[in-house]
Amino acid sequence: MASQNVSSQSASQTSSASNVVPLSVPAAAKSTSAFDEMRGYGDELRGPYSAIGDWLSSQRLEDLKQKVLEAETIFRRVGITFNVYGEKDAAERLIPFDIIPRVVAAAEWRRLAAGIEQRVRALNAFMHDIYHRQEILRAGRIPPELIVQNSAFVPEMVGVDPARGIYSHIIGVDLVRTGEDDFYVLEDNTRTPSGVSYMLENRETMMHTFPELFERNNVAPVEDYTDSLLQTLRSVAPPNLNQEPTIALLTPGIYNSAYFEHSFLADEMGIELVEGQDLIVSDGALHMKTTRGLKQIDVLYRRIDDEYLDPLVFRPDSMLGVPGIFDVYRSGRVTIVNAPGAGIADDKAIYSYIPEIIEFYMGRPPILKNVPTYNCRKADELAYVIENMADLVVKEVHGSGGYGMLVGPASTKEQVDAFRAKVKARPDNYIAQPTLALSTCPTICDKGIHGRHVDLRPFVLVGDKIRLTPGGLTRVALKEGSLVVNSSQGGGTKDTWVLEE
């Protein structure tokens, strides 16, 4: 089983330039071996994996590898690809799929679901407050400059009241596990989270390839996600409509890395897939151009970033958005999902304050904990990060996809020194965290079945009610010892099974 040695420095090793002590690292992260989802820290199967373990013990590696090839054929036939910007033949790349599922017990999922629901309620309450009364700033719980000087904060949203008061309707919450009962939220994705199409296709492929496994395991379904998404979108339509809302999905186009997902979701929901050039503002409303004339759009599920939405308000050179759409949105005649400015809640500079945000709005501590985090905008914490960078994971506050980050223990001295210079130049642009020993799952590799580190992205929908699909997208770092699970960095995916009682 692959393992990751994790440094947890003692207080005596703390830089003399700082009185900051090392953040508390979970006990599992201090072990020389990561927690394995199937066998824990020993050789006995954990309960949720009993049927999978028995099945694996009866399989030949050659047969399993053949099943992997069959799954890849299905993915290629369906067209499940993604792009990596700047690389040749990126449009033809498949996300590697591992056929050994990750299994979550019903009791584990209940706890995760309660924590996720608490978190998304707090995040939406925070966004409403930030764009209205800003009571959390008045209470001194968050430094005001962290909001008003943040590039993710959209001043034009101040005073805007979205339908049902919801800013982030589709949220991906990235979770990591470091022990039997140790789950942590690594980050929140409140802007335009992706990956749900892979969750759905992973399940369909597994059911096609291993129907007998589903007969042995009582696995919660995920295939109703698109129905739930459509219900959520309908529920946040502008009020006082006299007819069923017209919904469209706005994509940047075929060259976007997630275009497959855009077209997949639009097709599954039976809604129009549109680009900016297909839309126009007329008579104070947003319309779609059709062969029969203009058709009003009531809900727009956008998959483009804020800055490209409206060239009259944001980037004037944008060709992806629609001139005038923001005025229509402010007037309440169209709902944009997710709302402009929702990125303020998943900015990594805000992340370290999420526990306080949850307690401020929910009135109780968070059910799911954050990963302990150093905020480099604070002088004492910056000094510690600079001194101990080789032992930390350092991230850009606006970075994503595994880019703009340094995994200290896996980096060369030259890489650490170069990143240290970046942090010194722009300390407010970085956070740092202890290197956690992420849990591993058995994964098919060239020379057998070995543990590879994983995370989990459940998808939650917020509208007339909160809808949470059981499971989510398990991402797996296929390189031995790697902690980076992103597909753009060589990661793959697994089907995620939540067992029903």
Side-chain angles (χ1 to χ4, degrees), residues 37-353:
E37 299 276 343
M38 188 164 81
R39 299 188 181 276
Y41 293 112
D43 294 324
E44 292 187 13
L45 285 172
R46 296 179 60 243
Y49 276 85
S50 57
I52 292 294
D54 292 343
W55 170 74
L56 276 177
S57 65
S58 66
Q59 301 297 307
R60 297 194 318 147
L61 181 62
E62 294 77 10
D63 295 336
L64 291 176
K65 287 185 175 181
Q66 182 58 41
K67 291 293 186 180
V68 171
L69 294 177
E70 291 176 14
E72 289 180 355
T73 300
I74 294 173
F75 275 52
R76 196 174 296 278
R77 184 169 64 244
V78 174
I80 307 175
T81 61
F82 75 102
N83 301 337
V84 178
Y85 298 121
E87 294 190 12
K88 292 184 178 181
D89 301 324
E92 299 301 321
R93 181 173 297 188
L94 294 176
I95 292 183
F97 173 61
D98 185 70
I99 60 174
I100 303 176
R102 184 209 191 136
V103 186
V104 180
E108 291 173 339
W109 180 249
R110 281 197 301 273
R111 178 191 165 205
L112 293 177
I116 291 169
E117 180 170 339
Q118 179 197 50
R119 198 169 181 100
V120 300
R121 289 186 186 278
L123 290 173
N124 271 293
F126 167 68
M127 286 182 270
H128 189 277
D129 184 27
I130 286 302
Y131 290 115
H132 287 81
R133 295 179 58 84
Q134 300 188 339
E135 292 178 351
I136 197 168
L137 302 187
R138 300 174 193 272
R141 304 295 286 271
I142 297 178
E145 65 273 13
L146 202 60
I147 302 296
V148 297
Q149 296 178 11
N150 196 312
S151 62
F153 177 71
V154 177
E156 293 84 357
M157 282 295 294
V158 172
V160 176
D161 292 307
R164 295 184 180 270
I166 300 169
Y167 290 78
S168 196
H169 315 76
I170 303 164
I171 301 175
V173 180
D174 290 352
L175 302 171
V176 295
R177 186 177 197 171
T178 61
E180 184 77 42
D181 299 312
D182 296 319
F183 288 91
Y184 292 82
V185 177
L186 188 62
E187 63 181 48
D188 306 285
N189 299 275
T190 60
R191 309 183 199 206
T192 54
S194 62
V196 74
S197 60
Y198 303 110
M199 175 191 78
L200 297 172
E201 290 294 350
N202 287 353
R203 175 60 55 84
E204 186 169 340
T205 299
M206 283 294 291
M207 294 182 73
H208 174 83
T209 308
F210 300 108
E212 72 280 6
L213 278 181
F214 289 88
E215 295 176 1
R216 302 183 196 175
N217 295 271
N218 191 15
V219 183
V222 300
E223 53 267 23
D224 60 351
Y225 174 84
T226 50
D227 290 337
S228 295
L229 175 57
L230 186 57
Q231 292 173 33
T232 298
L233 295 175
R234 286 172 174 163
S235 76
V236 296
N240 303 320
L241 286 180
N242 297 321
Q243 58 191 25
E244 194 75 13
T246 300
I247 305 169
L249 192 156
L250 175 62
T251 177
I254 61 174
Y255 298 108
N256 183 263
S257 61
Y259 180 76
F260 165 78
E261 178 159 296
H262 305 166
S263 58
F264 173 88
L265 292 175
D267 184 62
E268 289 290 312
M269 289 188 287
I271 65 176
E272 295 292 336
L273 181 67
V274 298
E275 298 182 30
Q277 61 189 0
D278 302 319
L279 303 174
I280 188 172
V281 170
S282 178
D283 295 328
L286 179 67
H287 293 85
M288 173 176 58
K289 303 170 188 175
T290 76
T291 55
R292 296 184 178 181
L294 298 181
K295 183 176 179 60
Q296 184 169 326
I297 299 296
D298 304 303
V299 179
L300 188 67
Y301 175 18
R302 55 84 176 233
R303 295 296 295 261
I304 68 173
D305 295 338
D306 286 353
E307 59 185 318
Y308 298 104
L309 267 175
D310 188 338
L312 300 182
V313 178
F314 304 113
R315 284 185 57 154
D317 60 340
S318 172
M319 303 293 290
L320 301 177
V322 187
I325 188 175
F326 196 74
D327 282 341
V328 178
Y329 175 68
R330 275 192 293 216
S331 71
R333 297 195 64 184
V334 68
T335 298
I336 297 177
V337 175
N338 288 338
I344 191 64
D346 72 14
D347 183 83
K348 291 183 179 66
I350 300 296
Y351 170 86
S352 60
Y353 292 91

Side-chain angles (χ1 to χ4, degrees), residues 384-452:
Y384 180 82
V385 171
I386 293 297
E387 183 72 18
N388 299 278
M389 190 168 289
D391 300 312
L392 302 170
V393 175
V394 189
K395 304 176 182 179
E396 287 185 0
V397 296
H398 302 304
S400 62
Y403 296 103
M405 67 181 288
L406 173 87
V407 180
S411 302
T412 65
K413 182 180 183 302
E414 290 73 21
Q415 290 171 327
V416 172
D417 290 342
F419 216 85
R420 183 180 287 116
K422 292 181 181 180
V423 175
K424 286 181 177 179
R426 284 285 313 278
D428 60 324
N429 196 43
Y430 295 91
I431 63 167
Q433 297 169 332
T435 309
L436 303 183
L438 308 187
S439 64
T440 62
C441 276
T443 302
I444 297 176
C445 305
D446 289 340
K447 297 182 179 179
I449 297 176
H450 301 282
R452 292 292 183 262

